């Protein structure tokens, strides 16, 4: 009997170690933003995730703030229009739901599980009223990844394309939790 228990305990130990090392994460997050002269943006986000079937079972969601402060301090409510979503190069089901000061893009088929693997999501959307106009300059304040992820983001990149003739007079970038400087 002891000869059977020892190999089973050994196998169980390594299975537990393997499961403990598996984690869901955002491996890379790239935000490509094109700013129009009207202050609207055309955004393509490419999000590569590792799904382990824990939180990422049917897909992911992306929260987009839709209440911001204007240059005069008043509230601005930009319009969000989702153009399309793909997973691993194929069209993916999605729906958009208002949740307080943000809209959530639910991505995935609610009746189908995805494989435990690396998946690449591409989300394309537009938003109006994203540039703030001041007396001496205009400003695009863009949160490239958002603040509401429960997974670590291992790498993030933001590519911003400005209208022809635009000149950058001041550039600032921040990383970390909301409010980081």
């Amino acid at each position: 009997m002891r000869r059977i228990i020892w190999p089973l305990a050994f196998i169980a130990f390594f299975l537990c170690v393997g499961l403990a090392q598996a984690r869901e994460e955002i491996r890379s997050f790239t935000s490509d933003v094109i700013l129009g002269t009207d202050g609207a943006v055309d955004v393509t986000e490419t999000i590569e995730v590792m799904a382990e079937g824990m939180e990422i079972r049917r897909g992911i969601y992306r929260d987009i703030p839709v209440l911001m402060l204007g240059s005069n301090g008043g509230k601005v409510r930009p319009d969000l229009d989702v153009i399309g979503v793909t997973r691993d190069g194929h069209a993916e089901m999605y729906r958009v739901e208002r949740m307080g000061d943000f809209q959530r893009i639910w991505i995935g088929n609610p009746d189908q599980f995805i494989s435990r693997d690396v998946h690449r999501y591409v989300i394309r959307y537009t938003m109006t009223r994203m540039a703030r106009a001041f007396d001496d300059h205009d400003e695009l304040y863009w949160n490239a990844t958002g603040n509401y992820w429960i997974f670590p983001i291992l790498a993030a990149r933001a590519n911003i394309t400005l209208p022809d003739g635009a000149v950058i007079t001041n550039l600032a970038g921040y990383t970390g939790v909301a409010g980081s400087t």
Side-chain angles (χ1 to χ4, degrees):
M1 185 70 156
R2 285 186 184 195
R3 290 183 186 191
I4 294 173
I5 292 175
W6 174 246
L8 289 177
F10 187 73
I11 291 169
F13 171 76
F14 279 103
L15 282 174
C16 289
V17 169
L19 290 174
Q21 291 177 346
R23 75 173 184 172
E24 292 181 321
E25 61 194 11
I26 298 172
R27 296 222 168 143
S28 67
F29 192 120
T30 301
S31 182
D32 293 300
V33 180
I34 301 171
L35 176 64
T37 56
D38 62 353
V41 292
D42 185 329
V43 181
T44 302
E45 294 179 341
T46 305
I47 306 168
E48 188 173 280
V49 302
M50 179 64 207
E52 291 289 345
M54 293 176 284
E55 295 291 331
I56 304 174
R57 288 178 245 151
R58 292 176 171 84
I60 63 171
Y61 59 84
R62 174 71 168 101
D63 293 336
I64 311 283
V66 290
L67 179 64
M68 303 171 169
L69 292 179
S71 53
N72 63 359
K75 293 180 181 179
V76 175
R77 289 180 172 80
D79 296 321
L80 169 69
D81 181 31
V82 179
I83 296 167
V85 178
T86 63
R87 178 174 51 92
D88 301 330
H90 303 286
E92 185 75 344
M93 290 178 66
Y94 69 90
R95 66 181 170 86
V96 180
E97 180 180 349
R98 179 70 185 243
M99 302 181 83
D101 294 343
F102 63 93
Q103 289 187 3
R104 178 167 287 173
I105 306 169
W106 294 95
I107 303 167
N109 184 337
D111 299 322
Q112 183 178 357
F113 290 101
I114 63 172
S115 63
R116 294 179 179 178
D117 203 350
V118 175
H119 295 281
R120 177 174 285 180
Y121 291 90
V122 177
I123 307 166
R124 177 128 187 265
Y125 59 92
T126 61
M127 292 184 77
T128 61
R129 299 186 286 275
M130 293 307 298
R132 300 190 310 177
F134 294 90
D135 290 338
D136 60 343
H137 70 282
D138 296 331
E139 175 183 88
L140 172 65
Y141 183 85
W142 190 256
N143 185 334
T145 61
N147 296 326
Y148 305 113
W149 296 102
I150 61 172
F151 313 108
I153 300 174
L154 304 184
R157 179 184 180 108
N159 302 308
I160 312 295
T161 303
L162 301 176
D164 288 340
V167 176
I168 298 174
T169 57
N170 188 9
L171 177 66
Y174 307 97
T175 184
V177 299
S180 295
T181 59

